[in-house]
Amino acid sequence: MNWKFWQKNKAAKPQKKKSKTREWVDAILFAVIAATIIRVFFIEAYTIPTASMEKSLLIGDFLFVSKVNYGPRIPMTPVAFPFAHHTMPLTGTKAYWEGVQWKYRRLPGFSDIKNNDVVVFNYPQGDTVALEAQDTDYYRLVRGLGWKYVNSSYTIISRPVDKRENYIKRCIGIAGDVISMKNGLVYVNGKAEKLKNTGQITYEVVFKTNEVNFSVFEDMGFNVSEDIKMDPNSSVYSFNGTEEMMAEVKKLDFVQSVKESVQTPGVPEGDVFPFDKNRKWNADNFGPIAIPKKGWTVQLDSVTMPLYERSIRIYEGNQVERSGTGWLINGKPATSYTFKMDYYWMMGDNRHNSLDSRYWGFVPEDHIVGKALFIWMSYDTNASFFSKIRWNRLLRGIK
């Protein structure tokens, strides 16, 4: 056949037109793929679900989280339903398939995590979940109710790293830092680090009179029903507010005294990391704790193992066993261990209303999702219809 004749006839032959259905399918498929690439490698929307970062971030704030600042994390569970994190919206079943698992890799980013960055990460203790009590940490349930009861009474599942719940906190300590807390004040490498101006803690307030107009506090920015509580056994009120707000409270002529409410040093709190009875630590007084750094070698003994055993066993995937007075790692006697990843210490700005590293320890680098950039929308569900949008928070950067 003449080649030129065949080419000419081929060009003249009309192309089969796509059906409307095919056009819609192609458009939707392209949009899903493009959105997934953007979400995984560039930027992702995130909603603030709890009050643990108030007043820095409020319930109903919608954020953009950058994946490129610290480097995009390659999906470790690549086969998953688009836009669903770990659970399908309607069926409640898994939104991912664990048949394919990739090891942790991260593309180069613009910077490393710095102290005081606001970071989104996967919840470290979310590896095991009791489905009927997902709002409660599985390990806390076990400490309170016992392993046998929890595992026989609840449906227990495991989740891969990138399918664990997303949390947002402030990075108080980076890999290699030594962190401690005394009377509610954080110390990093021996230097006191005051709470951010937008952060808040609990204060004890005593009034001179019982006749108090609480609308005064609403004008100062307090949510009276949530931020102010009265001790039924005394005349002391508990205020949750920023240092600036409490300075204004102190100026009121009907206020007798204002002081920070912190736990007493040496009085242990059972749910505080590392859950070691020999350490008399609580949420306001703990440490010092050295945060593991890649390449750092720690000696294994009764003092260090309560702090680092979970990181060595769960986060870095080793078999850890007690052998007499020593330890076996992957079946071999070990007196020391060298860490393979960097770790971080995360805390909420709402210090007395935050479940953070004080209660579950270190955040490994493979759990890091991204850096919180700015608020693109803020929505107050408790406000009236015409004032639900917090206009003053729109497009506000996160510090």
Side-chain angles (χ1 to χ4, degrees):
M1 179 184 291
N2 185 286
W3 176 254
K4 291 184 178 179
F5 176 80
W6 183 82
Q7 286 287 87
K8 182 179 179 181
N9 278 272
K10 181 183 177 184
K13 186 178 179 181
Q15 296 293 318
K16 185 178 179 181
K17 188 177 180 181
K18 291 183 181 179
S19 68
K20 288 290 184 183
T21 302
R22 176 63 185 277
E23 288 180 353
W24 273 104
V25 170
D26 287 352
I28 292 171
L29 186 61
F30 175 80
V32 168
I33 292 173
T36 300
I37 290 173
I38 292 171
R39 182 172 177 260
V40 170
F41 294 101
F42 294 96
I43 198 165
E44 182 177 3
Y46 181 82
T47 308
I48 298 298
T50 70
S52 69
M53 285 294 290
E54 290 188 350
K55 298 278 196 259
S56 303
L57 297 171
L58 307 180
I59 295 175
D61 280 351
F62 292 80
L63 319 177
F64 275 131
V65 176
S66 167
K67 305 296 183 70
V68 296
N69 278 64
Y70 306 138
R73 183 179 59 180
I74 304 298
M76 289 178 274
T77 313
V79 183
F81 191 84
F83 312 121
H85 183 44
H86 53 62
T87 305
M88 294 296 289
L90 299 177
T91 63
T93 56
K94 287 184 179 180
Y96 56 91
W97 181 54
E98 295 175 273
V100 177
Q101 289 284 294
W102 293 344
K103 66 179 183 179
Y104 165 64
R105 295 184 182 89
R106 190 179 293 274
L107 298 177
F110 296 148
S111 69
D112 296 326
I113 298 177
K114 297 181 177 62
N115 294 85
N116 289 313
D117 280 0
V118 177
V119 181
V120 173
F121 55 93
N122 297 116
Y123 179 45
Q125 290 199 162
D127 58 318
T128 309
V129 179
L131 286 182
E132 293 83 2
Q134 293 193 52
D135 291 338
T136 304
D137 182 284
Y138 165 80
Y139 296 96
R140 176 175 282 193
L141 280 176
V142 169
R143 288 195 299 272
L145 302 175
W147 185 91
K148 184 175 181 180
Y149 177 83
V150 171
N151 282 266
S152 62
S153 303
Y154 297 90
T155 305
I156 307 301
I157 65 166
S158 61
R159 284 178 179 156
V161 170
D162 55 344
K163 297 303 176 184
R164 296 169 191 173
E165 292 289 352
N166 287 327
Y167 271 40
I168 184 167
K169 307 287 181 187
R170 191 176 298 278
C171 181
I172 301 300
I174 62 174
D177 283 345
V178 176
I179 191 165
S180 61
M181 200 166 185
K182 299 175 184 178
N183 293 317
L185 181 60
V186 173
Y187 290 79
V188 180
N189 300 323
K191 180 183 176 183
E193 295 286 343
K194 285 191 67 175
L195 188 63
K196 285 285 183 180
N197 291 337
T198 50
Q200 58 184 20
I201 62 172
T202 306
Y203 293 78
E204 292 179 1
V205 178
V206 178
F207 298 133
K208 298 175 181 177
T209 175
N210 293 328
E211 298 178 2
V212 176
N213 182 3
F214 283 89
S215 63
V216 172
F217 301 117
E218 290 182 355
D219 296 335
M220 293 180 177
F222 290 96
N223 183 328
V224 174
S225 62
E226 295 181 7
D227 295 334
I228 302 175
K229 309 288 183 185
M230 182 181 179
D231 185 343
N233 298 318
S234 70
S235 58
V236 177
Y237 282 80
S238 173
F239 276 60
N240 205 35
T242 66
E243 185 178 14
E244 185 180 54
M245 292 164 67
M246 296 310 300
E248 293 301 311
V249 171
K250 199 170 185 177
K251 293 177 183 177
L252 297 173
D253 57 5
F254 58 84
V255 172
Q256 178 175 313
S257 64
V258 174
K259 69 174 184 177
E260 292 183 10
S261 177
V262 295
Q263 296 187 57
T264 305
V267 178
E269 186 179 353
D271 272 332
V272 166
F273 177 82
F275 326 111
D276 180 9
K277 294 180 180 178
N278 295 318
R279 288 178 165 91
K280 308 299 183 182
W281 291 358
N282 56 51
D284 291 320
N285 298 276
F286 63 81
I289 301 172
I291 303 172
K293 183 179 178 66
K294 184 177 181 179
W296 177 56
T297 300
V298 63
Q299 297 301 309
L300 306 183
D301 53 39
S302 60
V303 175
T304 59
M305 282 304 280
L307 290 168
Y308 303 117
E309 187 266 340
R310 178 174 174 83
S311 297
I312 297 169
R313 180 170 56 88
I314 300 296
Y315 304 144
E316 304 211 348
N318 298 286
Q319 290 183 343
V320 180
E321 299 175 70
R322 188 73 183 259
S323 176
T325 58
W327 298 88
L328 298 176
I329 296 183
N330 299 322
K332 298 179 180 179
T335 58
S336 65
Y337 179 81
T338 301
F339 287 95
K340 303 170 187 173
M341 288 191 292
D342 286 334
Y343 291 79
Y344 304 92
W345 189 269
M346 307 289 185
M347 290 175 66
D349 285 356
N350 191 352
R351 284 288 157 81
H352 289 149
N353 190 21
S354 173
L355 289 175
D356 48 40
S357 284
R358 292 171 293 177
Y359 297 95
W360 32 257
F362 311 112
V363 177
E365 67 173 73
D366 65 350
H367 284 58
I368 300 298
V369 174
K371 181 179 182 179
L373 290 182
F374 65 91
I375 300 165
W376 62 272
M377 173 59 73
S378 186
Y379 193 76
D380 186 355
T381 55
N382 296 320
S384 61
F385 179 79
F386 294 104
S387 58
K388 283 187 179 295
I389 296 178
R390 303 183 183 109
W391 295 101
N392 63 329
R393 297 187 65 78
L394 269 56
L395 303 181
R396 176 185 290 190
I398 298 170
K399 298 179 181 180

